[in-house]
mmCIF file with all atom_site columns, all heavy atoms in Angstrom:
data_model
loop_
_atom_site.group_PDB
_atom_site.id
_atom_site.type_symbol
_atom_site.label_atom_id
_atom_site.label_alt_id
_atom_site.label_comp_id
_atom_site.label_asym_id
_atom_site.label_entity_id
_atom_site.label_seq_id
_atom_site.pdbx_PDB_ins_code
_atom_site.Cartn_x
_atom_site.Cartn_y
_atom_site.Cartn_z
_atom_site.occupancy
_atom_site.B_iso_or_equiv
_atom_site.pdbx_formal_charge
_atom_site.auth_seq_id
_atom_site.auth_comp_id
_atom_site.auth_asym_id
_atom_site.auth_atom_id
_atom_site.pdbx_PDB_model_num
ATOM 1   N N   . ALA A 1 1  ? 0.773   57.942 7.311  1.00 96.00 ? 1  ALA A N   1
ATOM 2   C CA  . ALA A 1 1  ? 1.743   58.625 8.176  1.00 96.00 ? 1  ALA A CA  1
ATOM 3   C C   . ALA A 1 1  ? 0.984   59.581 9.087  1.00 96.00 ? 1  ALA A C   1
ATOM 4   O O   . ALA A 1 1  ? 0.282   60.482 8.613  1.00 96.00 ? 1  ALA A O   1
ATOM 5   C CB  . ALA A 1 1  ? 2.769   59.379 7.335  1.00 96.00 ? 1  ALA A CB  1
ATOM 6   N N   . VAL A 1 2  ? 1.100   59.374 10.387 1.00 95.00 ? 2  VAL A N   1
ATOM 7   C CA  . VAL A 1 2  ? 0.374   60.194 11.356 1.00 95.00 ? 2  VAL A CA  1
ATOM 8   C C   . VAL A 1 2  ? 0.747   61.662 11.190 1.00 95.00 ? 2  VAL A C   1
ATOM 9   O O   . VAL A 1 2  ? 1.932   62.009 11.064 1.00 95.00 ? 2  VAL A O   1
ATOM 10  C CB  . VAL A 1 2  ? 0.673   59.720 12.791 1.00 95.00 ? 2  VAL A CB  1
ATOM 11  C CG1 . VAL A 1 2  ? -0.009  60.629 13.817 1.00 95.00 ? 2  VAL A CG1 1
ATOM 12  C CG2 . VAL A 1 2  ? 0.217   58.267 12.975 1.00 95.00 ? 2  VAL A CG2 1
ATOM 13  N N   . GLN A 1 3  ? -0.268  62.512 11.194 1.00 95.00 ? 3  GLN A N   1
ATOM 14  C CA  . GLN A 1 3  ? -0.077  63.952 11.069 1.00 95.00 ? 3  GLN A CA  1
ATOM 15  C C   . GLN A 1 3  ? -0.250  64.629 12.424 1.00 95.00 ? 3  GLN A C   1
ATOM 16  O O   . GLN A 1 3  ? -0.905  64.087 13.325 1.00 95.00 ? 3  GLN A O   1
ATOM 17  C CB  . GLN A 1 3  ? -1.106  64.521 10.081 1.00 95.00 ? 3  GLN A CB  1
ATOM 18  C CG  . GLN A 1 3  ? -1.044  63.898 8.685  1.00 95.00 ? 3  GLN A CG  1
ATOM 19  C CD  . GLN A 1 3  ? 0.284   64.156 8.001  1.00 95.00 ? 3  GLN A CD  1
ATOM 20  O OE1 . GLN A 1 3  ? 0.659   65.307 7.783  1.00 95.00 ? 3  GLN A OE1 1
ATOM 21  N NE2 . GLN A 1 3  ? 0.988   63.083 7.671  1.00 95.00 ? 3  GLN A NE2 1
ATOM 22  N N   . PRO A 1 4  ? 0.329   65.824 12.594 1.00 94.00 ? 4  PRO A N   1
ATOM 23  C CA  . PRO A 1 4  ? 0.154   66.544 13.870 1.00 94.00 ? 4  PRO A CA  1
ATOM 24  C C   . PRO A 1 4  ? -1.324  66.735 14.191 1.00 94.00 ? 4  PRO A C   1
ATOM 25  O O   . PRO A 1 4  ? -2.123  67.093 13.330 1.00 94.00 ? 4  PRO A O   1
ATOM 26  C CB  . PRO A 1 4  ? 0.842   67.891 13.611 1.00 94.00 ? 4  PRO A CB  1
ATOM 27  C CG  . PRO A 1 4  ? 1.865   67.592 12.560 1.00 94.00 ? 4  PRO A CG  1
ATOM 28  C CD  . PRO A 1 4  ? 1.239   66.552 11.672 1.00 94.00 ? 4  PRO A CD  1
ATOM 29  N N   . GLY A 1 5  ? -1.676  66.457 15.452 1.00 92.00 ? 5  GLY A N   1
ATOM 30  C CA  . GLY A 1 5  ? -3.061  66.596 15.885 1.00 92.00 ? 5  GLY A CA  1
ATOM 31  C C   . GLY A 1 5  ? -3.884  65.335 15.739 1.00 92.00 ? 5  GLY A C   1
ATOM 32  O O   . GLY A 1 5  ? -5.027  65.279 16.204 1.00 92.00 ? 5  GLY A O   1
ATOM 33  N N   . ASP A 1 6  ? -3.350  64.303 15.079 1.00 94.00 ? 6  ASP A N   1
ATOM 34  C CA  . ASP A 1 6  ? -4.081  63.043 14.914 1.00 94.00 ? 6  ASP A CA  1
ATOM 35  C C   . ASP A 1 6  ? -4.170  62.280 16.229 1.00 94.00 ? 6  ASP A C   1
ATOM 36  O O   . ASP A 1 6  ? -3.272  62.361 17.087 1.00 94.00 ? 6  ASP A O   1
ATOM 37  C CB  . ASP A 1 6  ? -3.375  62.141 13.889 1.00 94.00 ? 6  ASP A CB  1
ATOM 38  C CG  . ASP A 1 6  ? -3.694  62.504 12.456 1.00 94.00 ? 6  ASP A CG  1
ATOM 39  O OD1 . ASP A 1 6  ? -4.670  63.237 12.224 1.00 94.00 ? 6  ASP A OD1 1
ATOM 40  O OD2 . ASP A 1 6  ? -2.955  62.046 11.557 1.00 94.00 ? 6  ASP A OD2 1
ATOM 41  N N   . ASP A 1 7  ? -5.252  61.517 16.373 1.00 93.00 ? 7  ASP A N   1
ATOM 42  C CA  . ASP A 1 7  ? -5.320  60.468 17.386 1.00 93.00 ? 7  ASP A CA  1
ATOM 43  C C   . ASP A 1 7  ? -6.004  59.262 16.748 1.00 93.00 ? 7  ASP A C   1
ATOM 44  O O   . ASP A 1 7  ? -6.448  59.319 15.593 1.00 93.00 ? 7  ASP A O   1
ATOM 45  C CB  . ASP A 1 7  ? -6.027  60.925 18.659 1.00 93.00 ? 7  ASP A CB  1
ATOM 46  C CG  . ASP A 1 7  ? -7.479  61.367 18.428 1.00 93.00 ? 7  ASP A CG  1
ATOM 47  O OD1 . ASP A 1 7  ? -8.115  60.862 17.471 1.00 93.00 ? 7  ASP A OD1 1
ATOM 48  O OD2 . ASP A 1 7  ? -7.975  62.201 19.197 1.00 93.00 ? 7  ASP A OD2 1
ATOM 49  N N   . ALA A 1 8  ? -6.092  58.166 17.483 1.00 94.00 ? 8  ALA A N   1
ATOM 50  C CA  . ALA A 1 8  ? -6.624  56.930 16.911 1.00 94.00 ? 8  ALA A CA  1
ATOM 51  C C   . ALA A 1 8  ? -8.047  57.120 16.409 1.00 94.00 ? 8  ALA A C   1
ATOM 52  O O   . ALA A 1 8  ? -8.427  56.593 15.356 1.00 94.00 ? 8  ALA A O   1
ATOM 53  C CB  . ALA A 1 8  ? -6.566  55.804 17.942 1.00 94.00 ? 8  ALA A CB  1
ATOM 54  N N   . TRP A 1 9  ? -8.853  57.889 17.131 1.00 93.00 ? 9  TRP A N   1
ATOM 55  C CA  . TRP A 1 9  ? -10.260 58.045 16.778 1.00 93.00 ? 9  TRP A CA  1
ATOM 56  C C   . TRP A 1 9  ? -10.425 58.901 15.522 1.00 93.00 ? 9  TRP A C   1
ATOM 57  O O   . TRP A 1 9  ? -11.256 58.611 14.672 1.00 93.00 ? 9  TRP A O   1
ATOM 58  C CB  . TRP A 1 9  ? -11.018 58.640 17.967 1.00 93.00 ? 9  TRP A CB  1
ATOM 59  C CG  . TRP A 1 9  ? -11.117 57.648 19.078 1.00 93.00 ? 9  TRP A CG  1
ATOM 60  C CD1 . TRP A 1 9  ? -12.148 56.784 19.330 1.00 93.00 ? 9  TRP A CD1 1
ATOM 61  C CD2 . TRP A 1 9  ? -10.114 57.372 20.060 1.00 93.00 ? 9  TRP A CD2 1
ATOM 62  N NE1 . TRP A 1 9  ? -11.859 55.983 20.404 1.00 93.00 ? 9  TRP A NE1 1
ATOM 63  C CE2 . TRP A 1 9  ? -10.614 56.330 20.887 1.00 93.00 ? 9  TRP A CE2 1
ATOM 64  C CE3 . TRP A 1 9  ? -8.855  57.892 20.351 1.00 93.00 ? 9  TRP A CE3 1
ATOM 65  C CZ2 . TRP A 1 9  ? -9.896  55.807 21.961 1.00 93.00 ? 9  TRP A CZ2 1
ATOM 66  C CZ3 . TRP A 1 9  ? -8.142  57.378 21.421 1.00 93.00 ? 9  TRP A CZ3 1
ATOM 67  C CH2 . TRP A 1 9  ? -8.662  56.338 22.217 1.00 93.00 ? 9  TRP A CH2 1
ATOM 68  N N   . SER A 1 10 ? -9.619  59.951 15.404 1.00 95.00 ? 10 SER A N   1
ATOM 69  C CA  . SER A 1 10 ? -9.729  60.790 14.212 1.00 95.00 ? 10 SER A CA  1
ATOM 70  C C   . SER A 1 10 ? -9.245  60.044 12.969 1.00 95.00 ? 10 SER A C   1
ATOM 71  O O   . SER A 1 10 ? -9.799  60.201 11.879 1.00 95.00 ? 10 SER A O   1
ATOM 72  C CB  . SER A 1 10 ? -8.937  62.091 14.394 1.00 95.00 ? 10 SER A CB  1
ATOM 73  O OG  . SER A 1 10 ? -7.539  61.847 14.469 1.00 95.00 ? 10 SER A OG  1
ATOM 74  N N   . ILE A 1 11 ? -8.219  59.204 13.133 1.00 95.00 ? 11 ILE A N   1
ATOM 75  C CA  . ILE A 1 11 ? -7.719  58.429 11.995 1.00 95.00 ? 11 ILE A CA  1
ATOM 76  C C   . ILE A 1 11 ? -8.750  57.378 11.585 1.00 95.00 ? 11 ILE A C   1
ATOM 77  O O   . ILE A 1 11 ? -9.018  57.167 10.397 1.00 95.00 ? 11 ILE A O   1
ATOM 78  C CB  . ILE A 1 11 ? -6.364  57.774 12.341 1.00 95.00 ? 11 ILE A CB  1
ATOM 79  C CG1 . ILE A 1 11 ? -5.297  58.856 12.544 1.00 95.00 ? 11 ILE A CG1 1
ATOM 80  C CG2 . ILE A 1 11 ? -5.937  56.806 11.242 1.00 95.00 ? 11 ILE A CG2 1
ATOM 81  C CD1 . ILE A 1 11 ? -3.993  58.329 13.111 1.00 95.00 ? 11 ILE A CD1 1
ATOM 82  N N   . ALA A 1 12 ? -9.352  56.714 12.577 1.00 93.00 ? 12 ALA A N   1
ATOM 83  C CA  . ALA A 1 12 ? -10.386 55.724 12.263 1.00 93.00 ? 12 ALA A CA  1
ATOM 84  C C   . ALA A 1 12 ? -11.547 56.381 11.528 1.00 93.00 ? 12 ALA A C   1
ATOM 85  O O   . ALA A 1 12 ? -12.075 55.833 10.549 1.00 93.00 ? 12 ALA A O   1
ATOM 86  C CB  . ALA A 1 12 ? -10.871 55.057 13.551 1.00 93.00 ? 12 ALA A CB  1
ATOM 87  N N   . ALA A 1 13 ? -11.943 57.570 11.978 1.00 91.00 ? 13 ALA A N   1
ATOM 88  C CA  . ALA A 1 13 ? -13.037 58.281 11.316 1.00 91.00 ? 13 ALA A CA  1
ATOM 89  C C   . ALA A 1 13 ? -12.646 58.703 9.907  1.00 91.00 ? 13 ALA A C   1
ATOM 90  O O   . ALA A 1 13 ? -13.463 58.653 8.975  1.00 91.00 ? 13 ALA A O   1
ATOM 91  C CB  . ALA A 1 13 ? -13.443 59.497 12.138 1.00 91.00 ? 13 ALA A CB  1
ATOM 92  N N   . LEU A 1 14 ? -11.387 59.113 9.722  1.00 93.00 ? 14 LEU A N   1
ATOM 93  C CA  . LEU A 1 14 ? -10.915 59.560 8.422  1.00 93.00 ? 14 LEU A CA  1
ATOM 94  C C   . LEU A 1 14 ? -11.046 58.464 7.371  1.00 93.00 ? 14 LEU A C   1
ATOM 95  O O   . LEU A 1 14 ? -11.430 58.716 6.223  1.00 93.00 ? 14 LEU A O   1
ATOM 96  C CB  . LEU A 1 14 ? -9.456  60.014 8.533  1.00 93.00 ? 14 LEU A CB  1
ATOM 97  C CG  . LEU A 1 14 ? -8.758  60.477 7.249  1.00 93.00 ? 14 LEU A CG  1
ATOM 98  C CD1 . LEU A 1 14 ? -9.420  61.739 6.713  1.00 93.00 ? 14 LEU A CD1 1
ATOM 99  C CD2 . LEU A 1 14 ? -7.273  60.715 7.509  1.00 93.00 ? 14 LEU A CD2 1
ATOM 100 N N   . PHE A 1 15 ? -10.753 57.222 7.767  1.00 91.00 ? 15 PHE A N   1
ATOM 101 C CA  . PHE A 1 15 ? -10.777 56.110 6.824  1.00 91.00 ? 15 PHE A CA  1
ATOM 102 C C   . PHE A 1 15 ? -12.035 55.251 6.940  1.00 91.00 ? 15 PHE A C   1
ATOM 103 O O   . PHE A 1 15 ? -12.163 54.243 6.240  1.00 91.00 ? 15 PHE A O   1
ATOM 104 C CB  . PHE A 1 15 ? -9.527  55.244 6.991  1.00 91.00 ? 15 PHE A CB  1
ATOM 105 C CG  . PHE A 1 15 ? -8.260  55.918 6.551  1.00 91.00 ? 15 PHE A CG  1
ATOM 106 C CD1 . PHE A 1 15 ? -7.426  56.526 7.471  1.00 91.00 ? 15 PHE A CD1 1
ATOM 107 C CD2 . PHE A 1 15 ? -7.928  55.989 5.208  1.00 91.00 ? 15 PHE A CD2 1
ATOM 108 C CE1 . PHE A 1 15 ? -6.261  57.170 7.059  1.00 91.00 ? 15 PHE A CE1 1
ATOM 109 C CE2 . PHE A 1 15 ? -6.775  56.627 4.786  1.00 91.00 ? 15 PHE A CE2 1
ATOM 110 C CZ  . PHE A 1 15 ? -5.937  57.226 5.709  1.00 91.00 ? 15 PHE A CZ  1
ATOM 111 N N   . GLY A 1 16 ? -12.957 55.632 7.828  1.00 87.00 ? 16 GLY A N   1
ATOM 112 C CA  . GLY A 1 16 ? -14.203 54.894 7.949  1.00 87.00 ? 16 GLY A CA  1
ATOM 113 C C   . GLY A 1 16 ? -14.031 53.489 8.487  1.00 87.00 ? 16 GLY A C   1
ATOM 114 O O   . GLY A 1 16 ? -14.712 52.566 8.039  1.00 87.00 ? 16 GLY A O   1
ATOM 115 N N   . VAL A 1 17 ? -13.120 53.329 9.452  1.00 89.00 ? 17 VAL A N   1
ATOM 116 C CA  . VAL A 1 17 ? -12.862 52.009 10.022 1.00 89.00 ? 17 VAL A CA  1
ATOM 117 C C   . VAL A 1 17 ? -13.134 52.042 11.526 1.00 89.00 ? 17 VAL A C   1
ATOM 118 O O   . VAL A 1 17 ? -13.222 53.103 12.147 1.00 89.00 ? 17 VAL A O   1
ATOM 119 C CB  . VAL A 1 17 ? -11.408 51.549 9.757  1.00 89.00 ? 17 VAL A CB  1
ATOM 120 C CG1 . VAL A 1 17 ? -11.156 51.479 8.259  1.00 89.00 ? 17 VAL A CG1 1
ATOM 121 C CG2 . VAL A 1 17 ? -10.389 52.476 10.418 1.00 89.00 ? 17 VAL A CG2 1
ATOM 122 N N   . ASP A 1 18 ? -13.272 50.871 12.104 1.00 88.00 ? 18 ASP A N   1
ATOM 123 C CA  . ASP A 1 18 ? -13.489 50.749 13.539 1.00 88.00 ? 18 ASP A CA  1
ATOM 124 C C   . ASP A 1 18 ? -12.166 50.957 14.273 1.00 88.00 ? 18 ASP A C   1
ATOM 125 O O   . ASP A 1 18 ? -11.133 50.407 13.885 1.00 88.00 ? 18 ASP A O   1
ATOM 126 C CB  . ASP A 1 18 ? -14.052 49.359 13.852 1.00 88.00 ? 18 ASP A CB  1
ATOM 127 C CG  . ASP A 1 18 ? -14.436 49.217 15.312 1.00 88.00 ? 18 ASP A CG  1
ATOM 128 O OD1 . ASP A 1 18 ? -13.558 48.857 16.113 1.00 88.00 ? 18 ASP A OD1 1
ATOM 129 O OD2 . ASP A 1 18 ? -15.604 49.456 15.646 1.00 88.00 ? 18 ASP A OD2 1
ATOM 130 N N   . VAL A 1 19 ? -12.192 51.739 15.345 1.00 92.00 ? 19 VAL A N   1
ATOM 131 C CA  . VAL A 1 19 ? -10.954 52.039 16.070 1.00 92.00 ? 19 VAL A CA  1
ATOM 132 C C   . VAL A 1 19 ? -10.349 50.779 16.678 1.00 92.00 ? 19 VAL A C   1
ATOM 133 O O   . VAL A 1 19 ? -9.121  50.656 16.807 1.00 92.00 ? 19 VAL A O   1
ATOM 134 C CB  . VAL A 1 19 ? -11.208 53.122 17.139 1.00 92.00 ? 19 VAL A CB  1
ATOM 135 C CG1 . VAL A 1 19 ? -12.058 52.571 18.284 1.00 92.00 ? 19 VAL A CG1 1
ATOM 136 C CG2 . VAL A 1 19 ? -9.906  53.716 17.639 1.00 92.00 ? 19 VAL A CG2 1
ATOM 137 N N   . ASN A 1 20 ? -11.190 49.791 17.032 1.00 91.00 ? 20 ASN A N   1
ATOM 138 C CA  . ASN A 1 20 ? -10.664 48.536 17.584 1.00 91.00 ? 20 ASN A CA  1
ATOM 139 C C   . ASN A 1 20 ? -9.904  47.741 16.518 1.00 91.00 ? 20 ASN A C   1
ATOM 140 O O   . ASN A 1 20 ? -8.905  47.075 16.830 1.00 91.00 ? 20 ASN A O   1
ATOM 141 C CB  . ASN A 1 20 ? -11.803 47.695 18.151 1.00 91.00 ? 20 ASN A CB  1
ATOM 142 C CG  . ASN A 1 20 ? -12.459 48.354 19.353 1.00 91.00 ? 20 ASN A CG  1
ATOM 143 O OD1 . ASN A 1 20 ? -11.771 48.910 20.211 1.00 91.00 ? 20 ASN A OD1 1
ATOM 144 N ND2 . ASN A 1 20 ? -13.785 48.301 19.415 1.00 91.00 ? 20 ASN A ND2 1
ATOM 145 N N   . GLU A 1 21 ? -10.387 47.794 15.261 1.00 89.00 ? 21 GLU A N   1
ATOM 146 C CA  . GLU A 1 21 ? -9.666  47.131 14.178 1.00 89.00 ? 21 GLU A CA  1
ATOM 147 C C   . GLU A 1 21 ? -8.331  47.838 13.924 1.00 89.00 ? 21 GLU A C   1
ATOM 148 O O   . GLU A 1 21 ? -7.320  47.195 13.608 1.00 89.00 ? 21 GLU A O   1
ATOM 149 C CB  . GLU A 1 21 ? -10.515 47.135 12.906 1.00 89.00 ? 21 GLU A CB  1
ATOM 150 C CG  . GLU A 1 21 ? -11.793 46.311 13.002 1.00 89.00 ? 21 GLU A CG  1
ATOM 151 C CD  . GLU A 1 21 ? -11.493 44.839 13.271 1.00 89.00 ? 21 GLU A CD  1
ATOM 152 O OE1 . GLU A 1 21 ? -10.574 44.297 12.619 1.00 89.00 ? 21 GLU A OE1 1
ATOM 153 O OE2 . GLU A 1 21 ? -12.175 44.248 14.129 1.00 89.00 ? 21 GLU A OE2 1
ATOM 154 N N   . LEU A 1 22 ? -8.325  49.158 14.045 1.00 93.00 ? 22 LEU A N   1
ATOM 155 C CA  . LEU A 1 22 ? -7.077  49.913 13.899 1.00 93.00 ? 22 LEU A CA  1
ATOM 156 C C   . LEU A 1 22 ? -6.083  49.515 14.986 1.00 93.00 ? 22 LEU A C   1
ATOM 157 O O   . LEU A 1 22 ? -4.883  49.351 14.726 1.00 93.00 ? 22 LEU A O   1
ATOM 158 C CB  . LEU A 1 22 ? -7.381  51.408 13.974 1.00 93.00 ? 22 LEU A CB  1
ATOM 159 C CG  . LEU A 1 22 ? -6.222  52.364 13.679 1.00 93.00 ? 22 LEU A CG  1
ATOM 160 C CD1 . LEU A 1 22 ? -5.791  52.253 12.220 1.00 93.00 ? 22 LEU A CD1 1
ATOM 161 C CD2 . LEU A 1 22 ? -6.626  53.803 13.995 1.00 93.00 ? 22 LEU A CD2 1
ATOM 162 N N   . GLU A 1 23 ? -6.574  49.320 16.203 1.00 92.00 ? 23 GLU A N   1
ATOM 163 C CA  . GLU A 1 23 ? -5.721  48.928 17.326 1.00 92.00 ? 23 GLU A CA  1
ATOM 164 C C   . GLU A 1 23 ? -5.128  47.535 17.112 1.00 92.00 ? 23 GLU A C   1
ATOM 165 O O   . GLU A 1 23 ? -3.962  47.277 17.462 1.00 92.00 ? 23 GLU A O   1
ATOM 166 C CB  . GLU A 1 23 ? -6.537  48.958 18.618 1.00 92.00 ? 23 GLU A CB  1
ATOM 167 C CG  . GLU A 1 23 ? -5.815  48.464 19.860 1.00 92.00 ? 23 GLU A CG  1
ATOM 168 C CD  . GLU A 1 23 ? -4.795  49.450 20.395 1.00 92.00 ? 23 GLU A CD  1
ATOM 169 O OE1 . GLU A 1 23 ? -5.001  50.671 20.239 1.00 92.00 ? 23 GLU A OE1 1
ATOM 170 O OE2 . GLU A 1 23 ? -3.776  48.995 20.958 1.00 92.00 ? 23 GLU A OE2 1
ATOM 171 N N   . LYS A 1 24 ? -5.917  46.612 16.521 1.00 90.00 ? 24 LYS A N   1
ATOM 172 C CA  . LYS A 1 24 ? -5.405  45.264 16.300 1.00 90.00 ? 24 LYS A CA  1
ATOM 173 C C   . LYS A 1 24 ? -4.178  45.258 15.399 1.00 90.00 ? 24 LYS A C   1
ATOM 174 O O   . LYS A 1 24 ? -3.235  44.486 15.608 1.00 90.00 ? 24 LYS A O   1
ATOM 175 C CB  . LYS A 1 24 ? -6.502  44.393 15.668 1.00 90.00 ? 24 LYS A CB  1
ATOM 176 C CG  . LYS A 1 24 ? -7.618  44.011 16.612 1.00 90.00 ? 24 LYS A CG  1
ATOM 177 C CD  . LYS A 1 24 ? -8.650  43.159 15.882 1.00 90.00 ? 24 LYS A CD  1
ATOM 178 C CE  . LYS A 1 24 ? -9.837  42.818 16.777 1.00 90.00 ? 24 LYS A CE  1
ATOM 179 N NZ  . LYS A 1 24 ? -10.860 42.027 16.036 1.00 90.00 ? 24 LYS A NZ  1
ATOM 180 N N   . LEU A 1 25 ? -4.184  46.087 14.367 1.00 90.00 ? 25 LEU A N   1
ATOM 181 C CA  . LEU A 1 25 ? -3.059  46.128 13.438 1.00 90.00 ? 25 LEU A CA  1
ATOM 182 C C   . LEU A 1 25 ? -1.939  47.040 13.913 1.00 90.00 ? 25 LEU A C   1
ATOM 183 O O   . LEU A 1 25 ? -0.810  46.947 13.406 1.00 90.00 ? 25 LEU A O   1
ATOM 184 C CB  . LEU A 1 25 ? -3.541  46.596 12.059 1.00 90.00 ? 25 LEU A CB  1
ATOM 185 C CG  . LEU A 1 25 ? -4.506  45.662 11.326 1.00 90.00 ? 25 LEU A CG  1
ATOM 186 C CD1 . LEU A 1 25 ? -4.901  46.253 9.979  1.00 90.00 ? 25 LEU A CD1 1
ATOM 187 C CD2 . LEU A 1 25 ? -3.875  44.287 11.118 1.00 90.00 ? 25 LEU A CD2 1
ATOM 188 N N   . ASN A 1 26 ? -2.257  47.908 14.875 1.00 93.00 ? 26 ASN A N   1
ATOM 189 C CA  . ASN A 1 26 ? -1.264  48.868 15.371 1.00 93.00 ? 26 ASN A CA  1
ATOM 190 C C   . ASN A 1 26 ? -1.366  48.929 16.893 1.00 93.00 ? 26 ASN A C   1
ATOM 191 O O   . ASN A 1 26 ? -1.916  49.892 17.457 1.00 93.00 ? 26 ASN A O   1
ATOM 192 C CB  . ASN A 1 26 ? -1.522  50.261 14.782 1.00 93.00 ? 26 ASN A CB  1
ATOM 193 C CG  . ASN A 1 26 ? -1.577  50.263 13.268 1.00 93.00 ? 26 ASN A CG  1
ATOM 194 O OD1 . ASN A 1 26 ? -0.564  50.348 12.596 1.00 93.00 ? 26 ASN A OD1 1
ATOM 195 N ND2 . ASN A 1 26 ? -2.800  50.154 12.730 1.00 93.00 ? 26 ASN A ND2 1
ATOM 196 N N   . PRO A 1 27 ? -0.869  47.898 17.591 1.00 92.00 ? 27 PRO A N   1
ATOM 197 C CA  . PRO A 1 27 ? -1.011  47.844 19.049 1.00 92.00 ? 27 PRO A CA  1
ATOM 198 C C   . PRO A 1 27 ? -0.490  49.124 19.711 1.00 92.00 ? 27 PRO A C   1
ATOM 199 O O   . PRO A 1 27 ? 0.594   49.623 19.369 1.00 92.00 ? 27 PRO A O   1
ATOM 200 C CB  . PRO A 1 27 ? -0.163  46.625 19.440 1.00 92.00 ? 27 PRO A CB  1
ATOM 201 C CG  . PRO A 1 27 ? -0.162  45.763 18.215 1.00 92.00 ? 27 PRO A CG  1
ATOM 202 C CD  . PRO A 1 27 ? -0.159  46.719 17.058 1.00 92.00 ? 27 PRO A CD  1
ATOM 203 N N   . GLY A 1 28 ? -1.290  49.630 20.640 1.00 92.00 ? 28 GLY A N   1
ATOM 204 C CA  . GLY A 1 28 ? -0.889  50.833 21.371 1.00 92.00 ? 28 GLY A CA  1
ATOM 205 C C   . GLY A 1 28 ? -1.260  52.134 20.702 1.00 92.00 ? 28 GLY A C   1
ATOM 206 O O   . GLY A 1 28 ? -0.975  53.205 21.237 1.00 92.00 ? 28 GLY A O   1
#
């Protein structure tokens, strides 16, 4: 669940995943 202040890059870093892979599962 997205928290205040989050963006795609901070979430990707939090879980150690590639931001492009995050985008594939969550378009936009």
Side-chain angles (χ1 to χ4, degrees):
V2 176
Q3 302 297 300
D6 279 344
D7 60 28
W9 290 266
S10 67
I11 294 170
L14 178 65
F15 291 98
V17 300
D18 186 273
V19 70
N20 294 318
E21 295 299 316
L22 187 66
E23 175 75 31
K24 288 180 183 178
L25 294 180
N26 305 275

